Amino acid sequence: MLGAEADSRAPGAAVTVALCGQWEHEGRCRWPHNNRIDVSEPPAVLRTVAVVDDESVAEVLRRAESALRADPRWQVLGVRLVQLTVAEQALADRLAGDHTNACDASGFPCEPG
């Protein structure tokens, strides 16, 4: 549940910092990803699409969940891995092929450079 005072971009930014160390950085992301939050009806739903090898899935999920649970501006109701939608798969494919852009914490899809 996103607190009334919370910026809706903040949860995605928290995930980006957990995965990359900061919002913007030089070079390729270790785990290219995109965060999108839907606040159209409560509770807000954050979906993160990340390009992750099989050995890193648990670490990426742990980092993202820890960052989200550590912030008092919202309450995490659950974290789970889900099947990508067709649009998310296309986004993941673009992220996997983009070796130059910094991670996008804006909540909008990354566009290839």
Side-chain angles (χ1 to χ4, degrees):
M1 304 272 311
L2 195 59
E5 308 284 320
D7 182 328
S8 63
R9 297 169 297 177
V15 170
T16 294
V17 170
L19 298 184
C20 298
Q22 57 188 14
W23 295 347
E24 295 180 13
H25 53 80
E26 297 277 328
R28 177 162 168 69
C29 295
R30 180 175 180 192
W31 298 298
H33 67 283
N34 173 263
N35 304 298
R36 182 173 297 214
I37 191 163
D38 179 357
V39 295
S40 61
E41 60 183 63
V45 175
L46 175 70
R47 286 184 63 102
T48 299
V49 173
V51 179
V52 181
D53 60 44
D54 291 342
E55 294 83 32
S56 300
V57 170
E59 180 179 357
V60 167
L61 189 59
R62 180 190 57 75
R63 285 180 181 223
E65 183 173 5
S66 293
L68 291 169
R69 291 192 184 279
D71 198 303
R73 294 175 291 176
W74 52 77
Q75 178 185 7
V76 176
L77 302 178
V79 175
R80 60 193 167 106
L81 295 175
V82 297
Q83 185 71 30
L84 294 177
T85 67
V86 172
E88 289 169 338
Q89 183 60 58
L91 171 60
D93 292 343
R94 287 194 309 270
L95 290 171
D98 183 2
H99 299 291
T100 59
N101 284 354
C103 297
D104 179 2
S106 70
F108 298 100
C110 294
E111 294 298 328

